[in-house]
Amino acid sequence: MESKIRFADRMNQLPPYLFGMINKLKMEKRWNGYDVIDLGMGNPIDPAPNQVTEKLCDVAIDPKTHRYPVAGGMKNLKREIALYYERHYNVSLNGIDDVICTIGSKEGISHLCLALLGPGDTVLVPAPAFPIHVYAAVIAGAGVLRITLDSEEEFLRQLTRMCKALYPGPKLLMLNYPHNPTGIIASKDFFGEIVKLANQHNFMVINDFAYSKITYDGYVAPSFLEIPGAIKVGVEFGSFSKSYNMAGWRLGYCVGNKEMIDGLAKIKGYYDYGIFSAIQVAGIVAMRDCDDNIREQVAVYQKRRDVLCDGLVRMGWSVQVSKAGMFVWVAIPEPYSKMGSVRFAMEMMNRANVAVAPGAGFGEEGDGYLRLALVENENRIKQALKQMRRALSEIDQEISAGTFKPEITDTGQ
């Protein structure tokens, strides 16, 4: 009997969510008793600061907090976000109509794209790309063109060429610095050129700043809004997930251009009722009192980064050590690169009980790479490397015997 279920045409533009598939396989193995070491998902295992959790518990027992909150965020939280930007970036915000709270940055970006974009609009996205940076625009009905990530100079040349060649010109540029998955960083001079081009070619800018404070070796990531005139052309999204280990709490924010934020507020007014008040109050404590906690967490991530990178180098892999983010982006070496990043990830899951994120999940530009998360402790990372080494040795033996086929075969899905 023919199904009567008919999806919207936009569903045909959404490929299977690769990371959901990897997570499903990981959970199935764990249910079957296997200890899978997870280097795949940027899902912090370290706890949120104690004072944040304590404040959540204190506020949550008050029945007044069980009602619908203000959709765009509590006044005091928005003010604290404005004070945070003044303190860290010397950016002045009034905390009223230039700040809005979101259910994480992923939700905020998606809803803002619904407010800004529609059929006939074009969005430019650096590639490889975190999936929502592409598919938020696709879901909104816009077309997406990808700009290959390269040096700042080459990226700006590509961007300029595309702005001149497109008619009508691009409506939005989606940025993400520090970049997920590659860890590439941006300078203030780069952001300054972006603002000039946005004014010249009349496009808007979104910068996903989720990894703003996860930086290493003395590097400090600039805010897009530090650039004079940036607030006239764009907004910046931030998240509590990474800096404060509050991933499951779903709390983020958008700051910058008042008109863009007003559009986001209008869309959110139809879609959601905001974030649980106790979480918002806990967010105030995080922003106000937990700068030292961020520094401590960054030191933990830097040690994990060094352990992972040193171990990969000892395995003969070529590694570029990133100055930001909670991932290592690394090319799969020969001869294993021939199998592609998805097959390689499956082999590591099945043979090594190690979950890794295949670069293909970030677009075709990412195939041949892996994104390895720094969420497991140092001993677990060392164990993961040991298990990967053993699995690769098995593959080497099969290659020598001629029994290993590099193409993707049935993976049991």
Side-chain angles (χ1 to χ4, degrees), residues 122 124 145 147 155-173 193-194 196-204:
T122 301
L124 303 180
L145 294 177
I147 305 178
F155 183 89
L156 290 168
R157 278 193 289 269
Q158 292 182 65
L159 175 57
T160 301
R161 283 198 299 268
M162 295 177 83
C163 287
K164 291 179 177 179
L166 290 172
Y167 184 82
K171 193 171 185 181
L172 176 69
L173 172 66
E193 292 302 314
I194 293 293
K196 290 179 185 177
L197 288 169
N199 282 308
Q200 182 180 349
H201 296 283
N202 197 32
F203 61 76
M204 297 172 287

Side-chain angles (χ1 to χ4, degrees), residues 46-47 49-51 213-216 243 245 289-304:
D46 303 293
N50 288 337
Q51 59 267 48
K213 291 299 176 185
I214 312 298
T215 59
Y216 313 116
S243 298
N245 294 329
D289 299 332
C290 294
D291 285 356
D292 288 343
N293 297 83
I294 295 175
R295 285 188 283 269
E296 292 169 5
Q297 185 63 56
V298 167
V300 170
Y301 281 140
Q302 183 164 329
K303 288 180 181 178
R304 293 174 184 172

Side-chain angles (χ1 to χ4, degrees), residues 71 77 128:
L77 177 55

